[in-house]
Coordinates of all heavy atoms in Angstrom, one line a residue:
L47 N 10.4 3.3 5.1 CA 9.9 4.5 4.5 C 10.9 5.4 3.9 O 10.6 5.9 2.8 CB 8.9 5.3 5.5 CG 7.6 4.6 6.0 CD1 7.0 5.4 7.3 CD2 6.6 4.4 5.0
A48 N 11.9 5.6 4.6 CA 13.0 6.5 4.2 C 13.6 5.9 2.9 O 13.9 6.6 1.9 CB 14.1 6.7 5.2
D49 N 14.0 4.6 2.9 CA 14.5 4.0 1.8 C 13.5 4.0 0.6 O 13.9 4.3 -0.5 CB 14.8 2.4 2.1 CG 16.0 2.2 3.1 OD1 16.8 3.2 3.3 OD2 16.1 1.2 3.5
A50 N 12.3 3.9 0.9 CA 11.3 3.9 -0.2 C 11.2 5.3 -0.9 O 11.1 5.4 -2.0 CB 9.9 3.5 0.3
A51 N 11.3 6.3 0.0 CA 11.3 7.7 -0.5 C 12.5 8.0 -1.3 O 12.4 8.5 -2.4 CB 11.0 8.7 0.6
H52 N 13.6 7.7 -0.6 CA 14.9 8.0 -1.4 C 15.1 7.3 -2.6 O 15.7 7.9 -3.5 CB 16.1 7.7 -0.4 CG 16.1 8.7 0.8 ND1 16.6 8.3 2.1 CD2 15.7 9.9 1.1 CE1 16.5 9.4 2.9 NE2 15.9 10.4 2.2
S53 N 14.7 6.1 -2.7 CA 14.8 5.3 -3.8 C 13.9 6.0 -5.0 O 14.3 5.6 -6.3 CB 14.5 3.9 -3.7 OG 13.1 3.7 -3.6
R54 N 13.0 6.8 -4.7 CA 12.1 7.4 -5.6 C 12.6 8.9 -5.9 O 12.0 9.7 -6.5 CB 10.7 7.4 -5.3 CG 10.1 6.0 -5.4 CD 8.8 5.8 -4.6 NE 8.2 4.6 -4.8 CZ 8.5 3.4 -4.2 NH1 9.5 3.5 -3.2 NH2 7.9 2.4 -4.3
G55 N 13.7 9.3 -5.4 CA 14.3 10.6 -5.5 C 13.5 11.8 -4.7 O 13.6 12.8 -5.0
M56 N 12.8 11.3 -3.7 CA 12.2 12.3 -2.8 C 12.9 12.3 -1.3 O 13.4 11.3 -0.9 CB 10.6 11.9 -2.6 CG 9.9 11.8 -3.9 SD 8.2 11.5 -3.8 CE 8.4 9.6 -3.7
S57 N 12.8 13.4 -0.9 CA 13.1 13.6 0.6 C 12.1 13.1 1.5 O 10.9 12.9 1.0 CB 13.6 14.9 1.0 OG 12.5 15.8 1.3
I58 N 12.4 12.9 2.8 CA 11.4 12.3 3.7 C 11.6 13.0 5.1 O 12.7 13.2 5.5 CB 11.4 10.8 4.0 CG1 10.2 10.3 4.8 CG2 12.8 10.3 4.4 CD1 9.9 8.8 4.6
G59 N 10.5 13.3 5.7 CA 10.6 13.9 7.0 C 9.9 13.2 8.1 O 8.9 12.4 7.9
Q60 N 10.6 13.3 9.3 CA 10.0 12.6 10.4 C 8.8 13.4 11.0 O 9.1 14.6 11.3 CB 11.0 12.4 11.5 CG 10.5 11.8 12.8 CD 11.5 11.8 13.9 OE1 12.8 11.8 13.6 NE2 11.1 11.4 15.1
K61 N 7.7 12.9 11.1 CA 6.6 13.7 11.7 C 6.3 13.0 13.2 O 5.9 11.9 13.1 CB 5.4 13.6 10.9 CG 4.3 14.4 11.5 CD 3.0 14.6 10.5 CE 1.8 15.3 11.1 NZ 0.7 15.2 10.3
N62 N 6.5 13.8 14.2 CA 6.2 13.4 15.5 C 7.1 12.0 15.8 O 8.2 12.1 15.4 CB 4.7 13.1 15.7 CG 4.0 14.4 15.5 OD1 4.5 15.6 15.7 ND2 2.7 14.3 15.0
A63 N 6.6 11.1 16.4 CA 7.4 9.8 16.8 C 8.7 10.2 17.4 O 9.8 9.6 17.1 CB 7.6 9.0 15.6
A64 N 8.7 11.2 18.2 CA 10.0 11.8 18.7 C 10.9 10.7 19.5 O 12.1 10.8 19.6 CB 9.7 12.9 19.7
G65 N 10.2 9.8 20.0 CA 11.0 8.7 20.8 C 12.1 7.9 20.0 O 12.8 7.2 20.5
I66 N 11.9 7.9 18.7 CA 12.7 7.1 17.9 C 13.7 8.0 17.0 O 14.5 7.6 16.2 CB 12.1 6.1 16.8 CG1 11.2 6.9 15.9 CG2 11.4 5.1 17.7 CD1 10.6 5.9 14.7
T67 N 13.8 9.3 17.3 CA 14.6 10.3 16.6 C 16.0 9.9 16.5 O 16.6 9.9 15.5 CB 14.4 11.6 17.3 OG1 13.1 12.2 17.1 CG2 15.4 12.6 16.6
S68 N 16.6 9.5 17.7 CA 18.0 9.1 17.7 C 18.3 7.9 16.7 O 19.4 7.8 16.3 CB 18.5 8.8 19.0 OG 17.8 7.7 19.7
D69 N 17.4 7.1 16.5 CA 17.5 5.9 15.6 C 17.3 6.3 14.1 O 17.9 5.4 13.3 CB 16.4 4.8 16.1 CG 16.7 4.3 17.4 OD1 17.9 3.9 17.7 OD2 15.8 4.3 18.2
I70 N 16.7 7.3 13.8 CA 16.4 7.6 12.4 C 16.8 8.9 11.8 O 16.8 9.1 10.6 CB 14.8 7.4 12.1 CG1 14.1 8.5 12.8 CG2 14.4 6.0 12.4 CD1 12.5 8.5 12.4
A71 N 17.2 9.7 12.6 CA 17.7 11.1 12.2 C 18.7 11.1 11.3 O 18.7 12.0 10.3 CB 18.1 12.0 13.4
A72 N 19.6 10.2 11.2 CA 20.6 10.1 10.1 C 20.1 9.7 8.8 O 20.6 10.2 7.8 CB 21.7 9.2 10.7
T73 N 19.0 9.1 8.8 CA 18.4 8.6 7.6 C 17.4 9.5 7.0 O 17.2 9.7 5.8 CB 17.7 7.2 7.8 OG1 18.6 6.2 8.4 CG2 17.1 6.6 6.6
Y74 N 16.7 10.4 7.8 CA 15.6 11.3 7.5 C 16.3 12.5 7.0 O 17.4 12.9 7.6 CB 14.5 11.5 8.5 CG 13.7 10.3 8.5 CD1 13.9 9.0 8.6 CD2 12.2 10.6 8.1 CE1 13.0 8.0 8.4 CE2 11.2 9.6 8.1 CZ 11.6 8.3 8.1 OH 10.5 7.3 8.0
D75 N 15.6 13.3 6.3 CA 16.1 14.6 5.7 C 15.8 15.9 6.6 O 16.4 16.9 6.4 CB 15.7 14.8 4.2 CG 16.0 13.5 3.5 OD1 17.3 13.3 3.4 OD2 15.1 12.9 3.0

Side-chain angles (χ1 to χ4, degrees):
L47 291 170
D49 290 344
H52 291 149
S53 71
R54 290 166 175 82
M56 295 179 286
S57 76
I58 189 165
Q60 175 184 346
K61 181 175 179 186
N62 302 330
I66 61 171
T67 298
S68 62
D69 295 308
I70 67 172
T73 307
Y74 275 61
D75 304 300

